[in-house]
């Protein structure tokens, strides 16, 4: 009995550590962002940035700040697609916006998922899909800006170079 529970505990530990080091099994990324700005401002900044980067022109000098496509947009939910300029992989992006602090602050739950089901390693592309919009729109400079994510929530987050991806 004792042996069995030790074995079980050991197996769980191994499984948990494998999970943590490997990150998600499918290439994807989830990020929580917080801003000292009303959600309306965050919404407008994100939608404007997605539209500004819809053509190839942002990627002529390299990087992947191009080929975004707005799918739907309402004050609380934005959905878009991003296509990588070279290999044409498509990722689905969503932003959920929730106000807090009497509408003075905004919490954004962002998610990017590769449509290609076998994509496991993504060089941080899914993280960069989201982060580049935040940075390009100037939201990373917003008051009380805070980002919460990890390698567990985002494939290859810590090695992501968003200048390239
Ligand atoms: C990211 O890639 C660019 C272009 O190759 C390079 O100049 C830059 O140093 C890299 N940044 C990091 C943090 O590795």
């Amino acid at each position: 009995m004792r042996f069995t529970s030790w074995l079980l505990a050991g197996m769980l530990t191994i499984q948990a550590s494998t999970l943590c080091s490997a990150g998600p099994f499918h290439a994807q990324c989830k990020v929580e962002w917080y801003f000292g700005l009303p959600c309306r401002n965050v919404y407008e900044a994100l939608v404007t940035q997605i539209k500004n980067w819809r053509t190839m022109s942002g990627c002529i000098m390299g990087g992947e700040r191009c080929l975004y496509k707005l799918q739907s947009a309402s004050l609380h939910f934005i959905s878009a697609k991003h296509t990588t300029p070279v290999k044409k992989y498509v990722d689905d992006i969503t932003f959920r916006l929730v106000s807090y602090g009497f509408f003075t602050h905004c919490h954004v739950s962002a998610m990017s998922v590769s449509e290609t089901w076998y994509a496991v390693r993504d060089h941080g592309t899914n993280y960069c899909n989201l982060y580049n919009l935040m940075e390009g729109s100037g939201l990373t400079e917003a008051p009380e800006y805070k980002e919460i994510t990890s390698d567990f929530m985002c494939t290859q987050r810590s090695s992501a170079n968003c200048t390239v991806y």
Side-chain angles (χ1 to χ4, degrees), residues 33-49 78 95 97 106 108 130-147:
W33 270 293
Y34 298 85
F35 305 96
L37 286 176
C39 279
R40 176 162 294 281
N41 299 32
V42 175
Y43 166 82
E44 279 163 8
L46 287 175
V47 168
T48 303
Q49 200 56 62
I78 301 167
F95 295 97
L97 293 74
C106 192
V108 178
L130 303 170
Y131 177 80
N132 284 338
L133 286 174
M134 290 294 170
E135 214 245 331
S137 64
L139 283 169
T140 51
E141 306 290 323
E144 297 168 67
Y145 168 82
K146 195 164 126 202
E147 176 192 272

Side-chain angles (χ1 to χ4, degrees), residues 49-101:
Q49 200 56 62
I50 290 168
K51 288 179 178 168
N52 284 349
W53 283 345
R54 77 185 173 277
T55 65
M56 239 336 256
S57 63
C59 294
I60 288 165
M61 308 293 279
E64 299 196 343
R65 296 174 175 223
C66 62
L67 303 180
Y68 282 88
K69 186 167 181 289
L70 192 64
Q71 297 289 108
S72 74
S74 70
L75 196 45
H76 301 289
F77 189 76
I78 301 167
S79 139
K81 284 183 190 285
H82 180 251
T83 305
T84 64
V86 180
K87 293 190 172 165
K88 308 293 178 199
Y89 290 141
V90 179
D91 301 322
D92 292 306
I93 298 170
T94 57
F95 295 97
R96 272 178 203 286
L97 293 74
V98 178
S99 294
Y100 66 101

Side-chain angles (χ1 to χ4, degrees), residues 61 68 117 155-156:
M61 308 293 279
Y68 282 88
W117 64 267
T155 314
Q156 296 180 293

